Amino acid sequence: MAILYALVARGSVVLAEFTEVSTNANAIARQILEKIPGDNDTHISYSQDRYIFHVKRTDGLTVLCMADESAGRRIPFAFLQDIHQRFVRTYGRAVFSALPYGMNDEFSRVLSQQMEYYSSDPNADRLNRLKGEMSQVRNVMIENIDKVLERGDRLELLVDKTTNMQGNTFRFRKQARSFRNTVWWRNVKLMVALIILLLIIVYVVLAFVCHGITLPSCLK
């Protein structure tokens, strides 16, 4: 799973979040929300250990995710762009007056679905390449998290790898089951096609043998 954690916030007020693994990423994310400099729109990334916190702030709404460093930048920022658009489209101006976690019950499911999509579906990156909307990501600098958090305030990032492996195992089993079903249906269709072809061959042979004799009398 490339993207492990995500949230949507207004300032430091978290409106929705979801985590794929057992982790304290939410505590670190809140520290980042409080320390992001300025009020302007921004794209920024902070690294800690083997993970990177990617942040997109637009029109006062902040979308943040934590991803494995192997995910690069393009996919996480495509995810953030998608989540920002979905959130604004769903809630409109209500985001500026919502209470903490006011949208969590509903939107955490969207976060979960899109995290899995951008983490495992190759079409996510292919679509992003076709759109060409993430050119600004190339200019995003990945800074060490120490630059935004004081060393004394920084928390050690804890990620339960066992939970992550279990999630990967579940997805593998799901994909394997889907593959088996696809192969089974393909075999069924092939078998039906062979039976139809065999019936056609039998019919042609009977018609050839019974040449000169009416087919109905031949078949009686």
Side-chain angles (χ1 to χ4, degrees), residues 34-65:
E34 294 173 355
K35 299 290 185 177
I36 296 176
D39 298 318
N40 298 327
D41 293 355
T42 185
H43 295 75
I44 194 167
S45 298
Y46 297 105
S47 65
Q48 183 170 1
D49 301 327
R50 296 185 301 103
Y51 302 94
I52 301 178
F53 290 84
H54 301 279
V55 183
K56 171 183 170 60
R57 183 170 60 193
T58 306
D59 298 329
L61 190 66
T62 301
V63 188
L64 176 152
C65 72

Side-chain angles (χ1 to χ4, degrees), residues 155-200:
L155 297 176
E156 180 183 358
L157 178 61
L158 304 175
V159 177
D160 188 342
K161 296 181 180 178
T162 302
T163 305
N164 194 20
M165 291 174 62
Q166 289 174 346
N168 291 335
T169 301
F170 172 77
R171 278 185 292 278
F172 174 78
R173 289 176 178 172
K174 182 179 178 181
Q175 292 171 354
R177 186 164 55 250
S178 176
F179 177 75
R180 286 196 300 270
N181 291 339
T182 301
V183 172
W184 185 82
W185 276 112
R186 186 181 302 164
N187 290 338
V188 169
K189 292 176 182 177
L190 180 61
M191 184 65 67
V192 171
L194 289 175
I195 292 174
I196 293 175
L197 180 61
L198 181 61
L199 290 175
I200 293 174

Side-chain angles (χ1 to χ4, degrees), residues 25-217:
N26 58 338
I28 297 175
R30 282 161 178 73
Q31 289 184 320
I32 293 175
L33 290 177
E34 294 173 355
K35 299 290 185 177
I36 296 176
D39 298 318
N40 298 327
D41 293 355
T42 185
H43 295 75
I44 194 167
S45 298
Y46 297 105
S47 65
Q48 183 170 1
D49 301 327
R50 296 185 301 103
Y51 302 94
I52 301 178
F53 290 84
H54 301 279
V55 183
K56 171 183 170 60
R57 183 170 60 193
T58 306
D59 298 329
L61 190 66
T62 301
V63 188
L64 176 152
C65 72
M66 184 189 78
D68 191 286
E69 63 180 0
S70 63
R73 293 176 293 178
R74 189 171 55 245
I75 290 178
F77 274 102
F79 166 78
L80 296 180
Q81 175 74 11
D82 182 21
I83 292 300
H84 181 273
Q85 292 176 347
R86 289 171 181 269
F87 199 81
V88 171
R89 187 167 59 243
T90 302
Y91 300 109
R93 298 194 62 82
V95 302
F96 298 108
S97 58
L99 296 175
Y101 291 95
M103 288 81 173
N104 195 63
D105 288 346
E106 180 180 19
F107 203 76
S108 60
R109 292 191 292 270
V110 177
L111 291 174
S112 173
Q113 293 168 0
Q114 296 310 106
M115 284 168 62
E116 180 171 359
Y117 172 67
Y118 280 91
S119 296
S120 58
D121 195 325
N123 289 324
D125 192 36
R126 188 177 303 123
L127 180 62
N128 181 44
R129 288 172 181 265
L130 291 175
K131 287 183 176 179
E133 293 179 348
M134 303 304 294
S135 59
Q136 73 272 21
V137 172
R138 289 193 291 267
N139 298 322
V140 175
M141 299 297 294
I142 300 179
E143 300 179 348
N144 191 282
I145 202 168
D146 287 335
K147 288 194 174 184
V148 69
L149 301 179
E150 297 293 337
R151 286 189 176 274
D153 295 334
R154 201 193 81 168
L155 297 176
E156 180 183 358
L157 178 61
L158 304 175
V159 177
D160 188 342
K161 296 181 180 178
T162 302
T163 305
N164 194 20
M165 291 174 62
Q166 289 174 346
N168 291 335
T169 301
F170 172 77
R171 278 185 292 278
F172 174 78
R173 289 176 178 172
K174 182 179 178 181
Q175 292 171 354
R177 186 164 55 250
S178 176
F179 177 75
R180 286 196 300 270
N181 291 339
T182 301
V183 172
W184 185 82
W185 276 112
R186 186 181 302 164
N187 290 338
V188 169
K189 292 176 182 177
L190 180 61
M191 184 65 67
V192 171
L194 289 175
I195 292 174
I196 293 175
L197 180 61
L198 181 61
L199 290 175
I200 293 174
I201 293 174
V202 170
Y203 179 83
V204 171
V205 170
L206 288 175
F208 179 79
V209 171
C210 298
H211 181 67
I213 306 175
T214 59
L215 187 58
S217 62

